[in-house]
Amino acid sequence: MPIALGKATRIVQTLLKSGKEYIALMHLHKKIDEDLIKKTFDEFLGKIKQLPPIRSAVKRQLRTREIYYLNILEIKDKDVLFKVGCEAGTYIRKLIFDMGLKLKTQANMQQLVRSKAGPFTDKTWHTLHDLKDAYTLYKENDNEKEIRKIILPIEKAVQHLPKIWVNDSAVSTLCHGADLSIPGITKYNNFNENETMALMTLKEELICLGNSLVDHDYIKDNDKGKIVKTAKVFMNRDLYPKKQ
Amino acid sequence: MMEELLPFEKIQREVFVKKESETNWDYGVKPEERSVEELINYGVINANKQEGPSSHQFTDYVKKILNIDKAGHSGTLVLI
């Protein structure tokens, strides 16, 4: 679970919208042939329709979500352990319930662990205990080594987003909420229209997030025009000087 | 087994140059060179939250350990 600290807090909304991976344990109410289970799992790949559960934060209407991968790790009697990569907002409990229906039995979720949220994976996560130890080491022994492994710069939370790097003189205006036009651009990634973009300084600092108004080809072919509509500013507006 | 990659993990990000430019090192800093105090007030933690405390409680513990007022979590595992 990514946790954002202090002024970085608003970055979590970006992560909410990014793809997720879970490891889940499905319990079937009767024993089912393994091949049939495998075949049924494959049928739930790609776009699926889900009705959000009764107690959910969103309006209860059928909505489409994409399942990117769905791999069975182990089948043991009536339990199926699997890994699923899915679009944000996919209800895994519901997915399990629906797979149960398809298997003509009931199925419920016994366990759920998230193994990826955007760029954050379970390979690099830390416990509260790690954090406490690292903080103590830092405060009492002035040793930064461990805490620096745990508390990462906010830029780590946007590493999955397409980026545009801007020149120094564009930074302050972006910090004041202006949109990005071509003259401010130094380098850029490939991106599509209407994507969440991270605008960066040449020192690799995050300035703000915004939405692309065009795709990246437009930058190559033009010398003016708006490229990104600024949405959320993270950088302190006094860090870079105002344009002379 | 299918390849276990989310859509953004499959995209090859290239870098194109529009116009070369130099940065002035009198202001700003590379993210990895920020002080620990700065990171504590402007950083992220990839936390291993398993069963037990709710995401809210967990985030509260983090705030207490680091002695800060503000922290937010992404993506509670909502069990319904």
Side-chain angles (χ1 to χ4, degrees):
Chain A
M1 181 178 75
I3 295 182
L5 310 172
K7 288 180 294 165
T9 304
R10 286 175 312 143
I11 202 77
V12 295
Q13 286 150 16
T14 318
L15 296 166
L16 284 175
K17 285 191 245 163
S18 64
K20 306 285 182 330
E21 181 188 275
Y22 300 91
I23 294 169
L25 183 62
M26 169 165 94
H27 178 74
L28 296 161
H29 290 204
K30 68 176 193 213
K31 201 158 167 21
I32 309 269
D33 175 69
E34 282 198 15
D35 288 334
L36 184 60
I37 296 174
K38 284 176 188 156
K39 190 174 149 272
T40 304
F41 265 65
D42 285 344
E43 286 170 22
F44 280 81
L45 278 170
K47 299 240 196 286
I48 58 160
K49 290 222 179 347
Q50 282 196 322
L51 190 62
I54 298 167
R55 282 199 293 144
S56 68
V58 297
K59 197 174 168 201
R60 232 178 147 233
Q61 59 184 23
L62 215 54
R63 55 187 206 175
T64 307
R65 283 296 179 269
E66 190 166 349
I67 306 296
Y68 307 122
Y69 51 87
L70 189 55
N71 290 331
I72 295 173
L73 303 174
E74 198 183 341
I75 302 176
K76 208 171 169 188
D77 198 25
K78 289 185 255 177
D79 293 319
V80 186
L81 185 69
F82 65 94
K83 193 184 262 187
V84 55
C86 58
E87 192 179 342
T90 308
Y91 291 97
I92 305 303
R93 185 177 290 266
K94 195 77 190 166
L95 174 72
I96 287 175
F97 179 83
D98 291 343
M99 289 197 291
L101 287 183
K102 197 92 185 187
L103 288 164
K104 297 194 173 62
T105 181
Q106 281 187 313
N108 61 288
M109 185 170 81
Q110 299 281 57
Q111 259 190 46
L112 183 66
V113 175
R114 190 167 57 202
S115 41
K116 266 185 210 168
F120 293 99
T121 75
D122 58 357
K123 308 264 185 315
T124 57
W125 66 12
H126 300 277
T127 62
L128 279 179
H129 216 96
D130 299 337
L131 178 65
K132 200 163 183 358
D133 288 349
Y135 189 70
T136 308
L137 193 66
Y138 162 67
K139 277 288 172 191
E140 289 174 11
N141 299 48
D142 216 16
N143 183 338
E144 298 186 349
K145 201 171 154 240
E146 296 304 316
I147 195 104
R148 281 188 179 278
K149 284 185 200 159
I150 299 177
I151 307 184
L152 309 169
I154 189 172
E155 285 77 7
K156 289 281 176 200
V158 299
Q159 53 182 311
H160 60 306
L161 300 178
K163 297 185 177 67
I164 296 179
W165 292 264
V166 309
N167 53 48
D168 285 1
S169 58
V171 178
S172 173
T173 51
L174 289 171
C175 286
H176 283 80
D179 298 333
L180 176 69
S181 301
I182 292 183
I185 296 176
T186 298
K187 298 181 289 179
Y188 57 101
N189 281 146
N190 39 319
F191 60 89
N192 298 314
E193 191 183 328
N194 201 22
E195 270 200 88
T196 300
M197 306 288 302
L199 305 191
M200 315 296 287
T201 69
L202 294 172
K203 301 180 188 81
E204 300 290 341
E205 303 150 289
L206 173 68
I207 306 163
C208 60
L209 299 178
N211 289 312
S212 55
L213 301 166
V214 291
D215 68 18
H216 70 274
D217 277 333
Y218 188 91
I219 301 176
K220 187 176 69 192
D221 303 333
N222 293 278
D223 286 316
K224 56 182 185 186
K226 262 188 200 177
I227 303 301
V228 176
K229 184 155 182 48
T230 296
K232 278 197 192 99
V233 178
F234 287 90
M235 183 176 271
N236 181 338
R237 54 167 67 177
D238 300 321
L239 195 60
Y240 278 67
K242 277 205 177 114
K243 205 170 177 177
Q244 299 303 313
Chain B
M1 288 285 266
M2 285 189 69
E3 201 179 20
E4 291 169 349
L5 293 174
L6 296 174
F8 74 85
E9 293 173 304
K10 289 188 193 166
I11 299 170
Q12 291 281 333
R13 294 266 180 231
E14 289 176 66
V15 179
F16 306 99
V17 176
K18 178 67 177 173
K19 190 178 60 194
E20 293 287 356
S21 178
E22 293 289 318
T23 190
N24 184 332
W25 294 95
D26 290 344
Y27 36 78
V29 64
K30 283 185 187 167
E32 63 272 23
E33 287 169 11
R34 282 186 198 126
S35 70
V36 172
E37 288 308 314
E38 279 176 286
L39 290 175
I40 287 172
N41 285 294
Y42 189 55
V44 290
I45 297 174
N46 185 14
N48 176 1
K49 191 197 89 69
Q50 297 295 359
E51 289 129 50
S54 72
S55 302
H56 269 293
Q57 283 170 325
F58 195 94
T59 307
D60 274 344
Y61 292 146
V62 171
K63 286 197 276 189
K64 276 201 193 106
I65 293 172
L66 298 175
N67 205 7
I68 54 172
D69 325 320
K70 224 169 121 189
H73 58 266
S74 156
T76 318
L77 292 179
V78 188
L79 299 177
I80 294 158

